[in-house]
Amino acid sequence: MTLNPTGALVLFSGGQDSATCLAWALDRFERVETVGFDYGQRHGVELEARKSVRAMIAAEFPQWRGRLGEDRVVDVRSFGAIGETAMTAERSIEIDARGLPTTFVPGRNLVFLTYAAAVADRRDLAHLVGGMCETDFSGYPDCRRQTMDAMEQALRLGMDRPFAIDTPLMKLTKAETWALAKQLGGEPLIEIILEHSHTCYLGDRAQRHAYGYGCGRCPACELRSQGWDAWISAGRPAMAA
Ligand code: ZN
């Protein structure tokens, strides 16, 4: 496959989805950089996971190592303070009157994409890659493709750059996301995601399950665990290339 020379910036949280997106981008683009957001998460576990996933991918995949460029973490704590949700404040995870989980930070992806586009402009990268997904719908309106299309248009107009927002996981189930990871990097990539990525909302790294680390009870753990079980039941397939 011919590599895309325009470059990609991956919105990289260190979770299963964005780790798969990073591999997806490294498989396609000559240059790939990563950006993360510190919005005052209750735990620094996610930010640690980002470093180890990047380091392990560079160590295990020589063909991707040279394409993997800089990483930066943008401080958006003032935005996190506005949200005051279960992600940042000491509130339990529950469903609010709109039917949205309290883990929802209003407009979070819109803010992240705007910051990411500003970074991409400076770094001369044309594609923004994110793990937004509407299949395992958990009530996040800023994860829908329709929202991404509108955002893409707004960024193109507002920054006068032909940005593309790539969302390779948009139509995939969590089981299919594992299948995509296997297609991209085989069992070594699966092992990196299991051992080094972090998805649990509570930041639990004490308990290792078949699907990776986590508390095993929060919505993120439930989703990850169900996806893993479904992929295992299907016989650990790789997605057709
Ligand atoms: Zn959890």
Side-chain angles (χ1 to χ4, degrees), residues 200-202 214-218 221:
C200 174
Y201 284 145
L202 302 182
C215 71
R217 294 178 306 277
C218 76
C221 279

Side-chain angles (χ1 to χ4, degrees), residues 6-237:
T6 56
L9 180 65
V10 179
L11 281 74
F12 183 58
S13 71
Q16 177 192 348
D17 290 349
S18 66
T20 307
C21 285
L22 177 57
W24 182 88
L26 288 167
D27 195 46
R28 281 167 177 70
F29 292 91
E30 279 179 9
R31 288 185 303 134
V32 177
E33 299 188 11
T34 50
V35 63
F37 299 97
D38 179 357
Y39 52 94
Q41 293 95 323
R42 283 189 299 196
H43 44 87
V45 171
E46 265 188 32
L47 299 176
E48 279 305 308
R50 301 178 71 257
K51 289 182 199 162
S52 45
V53 169
R54 276 180 50 101
M56 290 304 296
I57 283 181
E60 301 244 357
F61 296 93
Q63 72 277 29
W64 291 347
R65 190 181 304 143
R67 303 175 198 164
L68 181 58
E70 291 181 24
D71 177 45
R72 44 178 56 70
V73 174
V74 177
D75 183 343
V76 292
R77 282 170 180 255
S78 59
F79 176 70
I82 296 170
E84 284 192 352
T85 70
M87 297 297 280
T88 53
E90 292 302 320
R91 279 171 58 181
S92 61
I93 297 168
E94 51 197 47
I95 304 298
D96 76 6
R98 284 175 297 180
L100 296 175
T102 51
T103 47
F104 176 68
V105 184
R108 187 176 65 174
N109 281 320
L110 307 181
V111 171
F112 288 1
L113 283 163
T114 304
Y115 274 90
V119 170
D121 178 87
R122 285 293 180 263
R123 302 294 304 159
D124 198 23
L125 302 164
H127 288 250
L128 306 174
V129 182
M132 300 80 173
C133 172
E134 60 187 19
T135 307
D136 288 315
F137 185 61
S138 50
Y140 299 91
D142 61 343
C143 287
R144 297 173 188 152
R145 188 59 228 185
Q146 193 182 5
T147 307
M148 294 302 112
D149 289 341
M151 196 66 197
E152 190 175 77
Q153 186 68 4
L155 294 173
R156 285 178 181 184
L157 290 171
M159 298 195 192
D160 197 19
R161 280 261 191 184
F163 285 124
I165 300 178
D166 296 338
T167 53
L169 312 184
M170 185 58 76
K171 304 289 181 192
L172 304 188
T173 64
K174 281 283 173 284
E176 288 169 333
T177 298
W178 285 112
L180 175 60
K182 183 159 175 183
Q183 180 223 316
L184 292 165
E187 289 294 335
L189 183 60
I190 297 293
E191 193 46 46
I192 289 172
I193 294 172
L194 285 174
E195 184 61 27
H196 298 281
S197 78
H198 186 82
T199 308
C200 174
Y201 284 145
L202 302 182
D204 189 332
R205 294 290 292 177
Q207 304 177 65
R208 168 73 204 247
H209 311 272
Y211 62 84
Y213 292 93
C215 71
R217 294 178 306 277
C218 76
C221 279
E222 278 181 17
L223 204 56
R224 180 160 164 160
S225 145
Q226 286 163 9
W228 174 259
D229 290 346
W231 185 60
I232 293 296
S233 301
R236 302 171 76 103

